[in-house]
Amino acid sequence: MKKIYHVFLLIFGFFGFSQTTEKSIILKDAVSNLPVEYATVLILKTKQTLLSNAEGKITFELNGTSNIQVTHSSYHSVIVRSSALHKTDNIIYLKSNINDLDEIIVTKQHPQKILKSIVENSIKKLTSPSRLKVYAREFFKQDGTHTYYNDGLLNFQLTGKNNKFKSTILVEQNRSYGLINDEISSEVLGYNLNDIMQNYYNFKYLLPILEPKAIKQYDYVIKGYTANADYNVMLITPLDNSKEIRDDFKIIYDNKKKVIVEVSSSISPATLANTKEKKIVGSKNIYKSIFKTIYRVEGLNYYLVSSLEEIGFEHIFRDKKIDIEVRNYFVTTFFSTQNFVYKENEVFKDKTLYNKKNSILTNYWNNSGLTSTEEEEKIIEVIAAKSY
């Protein structure tokens, strides 16, 4: 009887101490009380990375306790203990650092030359070979209606160095809904998974401001970054005389390690207002362009944490105009320097997940690192319902 009792205690203790609990955090601006989107949340115990959604929400599961680090380029970082999260939705208020940028830093070299050097060093420092477990999500909207959606849990194995990065993709799980009876075009297929990681690792999206002629097209300013004394911020804006659509850029970089921490760009309303509308068949009138990538330095490793790409444009055809919007997310949930073993026929080589048969083994999106908002959940349910 005593043996049975002891076994019961061991089993009870095992389940009691190994129980996984779900935690939820909502991030808000300390002054405006508005949700803070796209903050990076790191579970220090498991090294899992998560992003806050448009509602400022992060949901995750945790076995035991851990410190949780919250960072955002526009806010001061905070660290909270998971054991302090007792409520269903725990609100954490973040203090803005927007007004804390130091005065302009005057340099002997032109900021563009400094940026070129930092980009070159960043490419050299990015860890390769390495493996990124990534949750990818894409929404497609046509003429104001969401008509296609896909997401998946992917493994990107990166090899190569110095502008010669190559990625091999293995898809663990995926789902794709919509556009079964509609015509498939290049716009519908969205971003190319087979070159997107190389673009992030080669900093391809910075090419417009790295070209020699860009010095006459943009204004380059370097400022200090009070939230981290080791960081600087480079702000690059189109000059007023520009008649073309050009993005505003914000680049946060580690001034000691000479590597990029974050890149963001968008088209300002002022730029759009000065842009002449195109009417030629086949042309595109862009009205929205948002881009953001976040990188992490962790010991000797340096890798991509997340990305957001969003574009909206009006495509001109001979007899009609079609409004297209595509929004794509990447979240690196786990990073490893251990390569995976695979067979050649297991490698994913298509442009998107559209043509890949759905493979749903678990509700992987619930632990994806990016919690869907209520609005997004409704969109996914509607598109999925139309697919059957």
Side-chain angles (χ1 to χ4, degrees), residues 75-88:
Y75 294 87
H76 291 281
S77 300
V78 297
I79 294 179
V80 296
R81 189 71 174 165
S82 62
S83 55
L85 306 176
H86 303 300
K87 300 178 181 179
T88 303

Side-chain angles (χ1 to χ4, degrees), residues 62-73:
L62 183 63
N63 188 336
T65 58
S66 173
N67 283 337
I68 300 168
Q69 184 183 54
V70 181
T71 57
H72 190 290
S73 60

Side-chain angles (χ1 to χ4, degrees), residues 58-296:
I58 306 103
T59 303
F60 59 95
E61 292 183 348
L62 183 63
N63 188 336
T65 58
S66 173
N67 283 337
I68 300 168
Q69 184 183 54
V70 181
T71 57
H72 190 290
S73 60
S74 298
Y75 294 87
H76 291 281
S77 300
V78 297
I79 294 179
V80 296
R81 189 71 174 165
S82 62
S83 55
L85 306 176
H86 303 300
K87 300 178 181 179
T88 303
D89 291 324
N90 301 272
I91 299 177
I92 297 176
Y93 292 96
L94 302 181
K95 182 182 177 183
S96 174
N97 64 19
I98 294 296
N99 296 323
D100 293 342
L101 289 180
D102 291 336
E103 296 297 323
I104 294 174
I105 297 174
V106 179
T107 60
K108 293 181 180 179
Q109 293 181 317
H110 190 281
Q112 190 201 53
K113 190 172 183 179
I114 294 173
L115 179 60
K116 286 182 178 179
S117 175
I118 291 169
V119 169
E120 290 173 2
N121 191 61
S122 297
I123 292 173
K124 185 192 303 183
K125 293 293 185 182
L126 281 162
T127 304
S128 177
S130 63
R131 176 164 59 93
L132 306 179
K133 184 184 286 288
V134 171
Y135 174 68
R137 174 190 294 173
E138 185 172 70
F139 288 92
F140 174 81
K141 184 189 288 187
Q142 182 170 315
D143 292 330
T145 302
H146 283 92
T147 54
Y148 173 61
Y149 172 83
N150 75 62
D151 68 9
L153 196 58
L154 294 72
N155 281 284
F156 285 83
Q157 184 160 296
L158 285 159
T159 55
K161 290 289 288 184
N162 300 335
N163 288 318
K164 295 182 180 179
F165 292 103
K166 178 184 177 182
S167 64
T168 301
I169 307 173
L170 296 185
V171 180
E172 287 188 14
Q173 300 186 61
N174 68 282
R175 55 180 179 165
S176 177
Y177 302 130
L179 291 169
I180 289 179
N181 298 317
D182 294 337
E183 182 182 352
I184 304 301
S185 65
S186 59
E187 287 86 5
V188 171
L189 293 177
Y191 299 97
N192 190 339
L193 291 175
N194 275 282
D195 64 19
I196 197 168
M197 195 61 74
Q198 290 95 309
N199 291 341
Y200 295 151
Y201 271 55
N202 291 326
F203 296 92
K204 178 182 177 181
Y205 299 91
L206 293 181
L207 290 180
I209 54 176
L210 294 174
E211 296 175 351
K213 64 180 181 180
I215 292 179
K216 297 180 179 180
Q217 299 170 336
Y218 293 89
D219 180 39
Y220 296 73
V221 174
I222 299 177
K223 292 189 175 183
Y225 189 68
T226 304
N228 189 326
D230 294 338
Y231 290 2
N232 282 345
V233 181
M234 190 175 295
L235 303 174
I236 304 171
T237 54
L239 296 174
D240 293 339
N241 59 1
S242 174
K243 297 297 181 182
E244 299 179 21
I245 289 185
R246 297 194 177 102
D247 290 2
D248 290 45
F249 290 84
K250 177 182 178 182
I251 301 161
I252 301 175
Y253 62 94
D254 190 314
N255 195 39
K256 287 189 175 181
K257 297 178 179 178
K258 305 299 181 184
V259 293
I260 290 174
V261 176
E262 181 179 308
V263 175
S264 58
S265 66
S266 62
I267 299 176
S268 70
T271 298
L272 288 173
N274 292 329
T275 304
K276 188 176 181 180
E277 182 181 357
K278 299 176 183 178
K279 297 182 180 180
I280 300 174
V281 174
S283 61
K284 299 175 182 178
N285 290 306
I286 297 174
Y287 58 83
K288 180 196 296 183
S289 177
I290 300 171
F291 174 81
K292 186 170 187 176
T293 52
I294 299 173
Y295 300 83
R296 174 177 293 147

